[in-house]
């Protein structure tokens, strides 16, 4: 019985360490992504021809509108990333929502950048998991 309790505690501690590292990863990723998204949004607003156009697709995207969306979401992501790094519980909830939105956006971008979209979906799923299971009190064990 003591052996199984130790094994269970070890698994929880390992999961806590992985989640703790995942939360730090998520915070830094959101902060950097937010800043980059703001810059990408500004470039899309400034000149539509900066972005490549790929044939016709069922989901048509207005580049200028997409630029404004990137600026707003980038600002929210940067603030959220900073909050996650400061161990803010509301920031973790917003981070989960942003990662979920990112999964949907990456799905819409599959025809344009398929490999990148799949990579980002996998990263978003990891971020959602890390932010959802992270418990600061257990991570410090």
């Amino acid at each position: 019985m003591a052996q199984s309790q130790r094994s269970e505690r070890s698994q929880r501690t390992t999961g806590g360490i992985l989640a703790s590292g995942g939360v730090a990863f998520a915070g830094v990723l959101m902060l950097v992504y937010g800043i980059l998204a703001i810059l990408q949004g500004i470039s899309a607003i400034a000149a539509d021809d900066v972005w490549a156009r790929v044939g016709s697709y069922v989901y048509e995207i207005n580049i200028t509108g997409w630029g404004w969306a990137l600026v707003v979401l980038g600002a929210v992501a940067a603030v959220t990333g900073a909050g996650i790094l400061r161990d803010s519980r509301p920031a973790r909830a917003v981070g989960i929502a942003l990662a979920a939105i990112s999964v949907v956006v990456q799905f819409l971008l599959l025809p344009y950048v398929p490999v990148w979209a799949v990579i980002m979906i996998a990263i978003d799923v990891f971020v959602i998991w890390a932010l959802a299971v992270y418990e600061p009190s257990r991570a410090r064990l």
Side-chain angles (χ1 to χ4, degrees), residues 23-102:
V23 167
F25 172 75
V28 170
L29 184 69
M30 285 191 183
L31 184 60
V32 170
Y33 169 76
I35 293 167
L36 290 175
I38 291 169
L39 295 174
Q40 288 174 338
I42 290 169
S43 74
I45 293 166
D48 281 355
D49 59 348
V50 172
W51 293 67
R53 298 186 190 276
V54 178
S56 64
Y57 182 57
V58 73
Y59 302 110
E60 294 286 329
I61 298 172
N62 177 327
I63 301 298
T64 303
W66 186 247
W68 281 109
L70 279 174
V71 169
V72 171
L73 286 174
V76 172
V79 170
T80 300
I84 289 170
L85 291 174
R86 291 180 180 211
D87 208 18
S88 167
R89 180 178 219 143
R92 287 197 312 267
V94 173
I96 291 170
L98 285 175
I101 291 168
S102 179

